[in-house]
Amino acid sequence: SNHCVEQGGVVLPPKSEFRKLDVAKLDELGSSIYDLILMDPPWSNKHVKRAKKTNVGYKMMDNDDLSQMPVSKLLADDGLLFVWCTNKVKHRAAVRAWFSSWGVSMVGTWYWVKVTKHGEMVTQFTQDKQPYEVVIIGQKLGP
């Protein structure tokens, strides 16, 4: 369609769709190819492990399992890939390795600085916490 569509409270631009599914079910996408993929992987982290003990949180995946996702088949040539990533060094290194194996070149990083409703950072910069998250941006090189 050439018109914006509202789906679940989200306005989608023409010729786009929103897909939310467990990465274990990526085969449900069939042979679809996308110009843009936004990933928010279920990173393993201590907070979620603690929360899971109280039946809160999400199912985490290991970096090696995440690397097996068929992103190179799903992303169009010259398509963009956006990956939300934690500030953990091993996760950032994993994204760089995934990009390489998927034929994706890193083209940028977007920083989301978390602030309170009063405009103050939610936490100060420390060794353990940072008041931001990142989206690592890549592009699949065409033939």
Side-chain angles (χ1 to χ4, degrees):
S1 165
N2 289 328
H3 302 286
C4 290
V5 176
E6 183 178 343
Q7 181 181 341
V10 176
V11 178
L12 301 173
K15 300 179 184 175
S16 67
E17 60 186 274
F18 176 77
R19 298 283 187 112
K20 178 182 177 184
L21 67 145
D22 186 310
V23 295
K25 298 178 182 179
L26 286 176
D27 58 330
E28 292 179 12
L29 298 175
S31 61
S32 298
I33 296 177
Y34 299 91
D35 295 319
L36 186 142
I37 296 175
L38 171 64
M39 295 172 52
D40 190 1
W43 302 107
S44 60
N45 72 55
K46 291 177 188 175
H47 173 74
V48 174
K49 286 178 185 175
R50 285 191 302 267
K52 283 189 67 90
K53 291 179 183 175
T54 60
N55 291 327
V56 178
Y58 57 84
K59 183 179 176 189
M60 298 173 288
M61 288 182 69
D62 181 79
N63 288 347
D64 291 335
D65 293 331
L66 289 165
S67 73
Q68 300 304 310
M69 293 185 294
V71 171
S72 58
K73 293 179 184 176
L74 296 170
L75 188 61
D77 288 343
D78 299 320
L80 294 172
L81 175 61
F82 292 72
V83 181
W84 278 103
C85 190
T86 71
N87 291 314
K88 202 165 194 177
V89 173
K90 79 173 191 173
H91 295 319
R92 300 244 184 128
V95 172
R96 286 192 297 277
W98 300 344
F99 278 18
S100 178
S101 70
W102 294 333
V104 172
S105 293
M106 186 170 156
V107 296
T109 304
W110 179 69
Y111 292 85
W112 170 44
V113 178
K114 300 178 189 181
V115 296
T116 68
K117 65 182 179 179
H118 304 292
E120 299 165 355
M121 290 190 295
V122 295
T123 187
Q124 297 301 312
F125 287 90
T126 67
Q127 281 187 313
D128 298 325
K129 297 221 179 229
Q130 292 85 31
Y132 64 88
E133 290 185 23
V134 298
V135 175
I136 301 171
I137 306 165
Q139 183 173 26
K140 184 177 178 184
L141 302 177

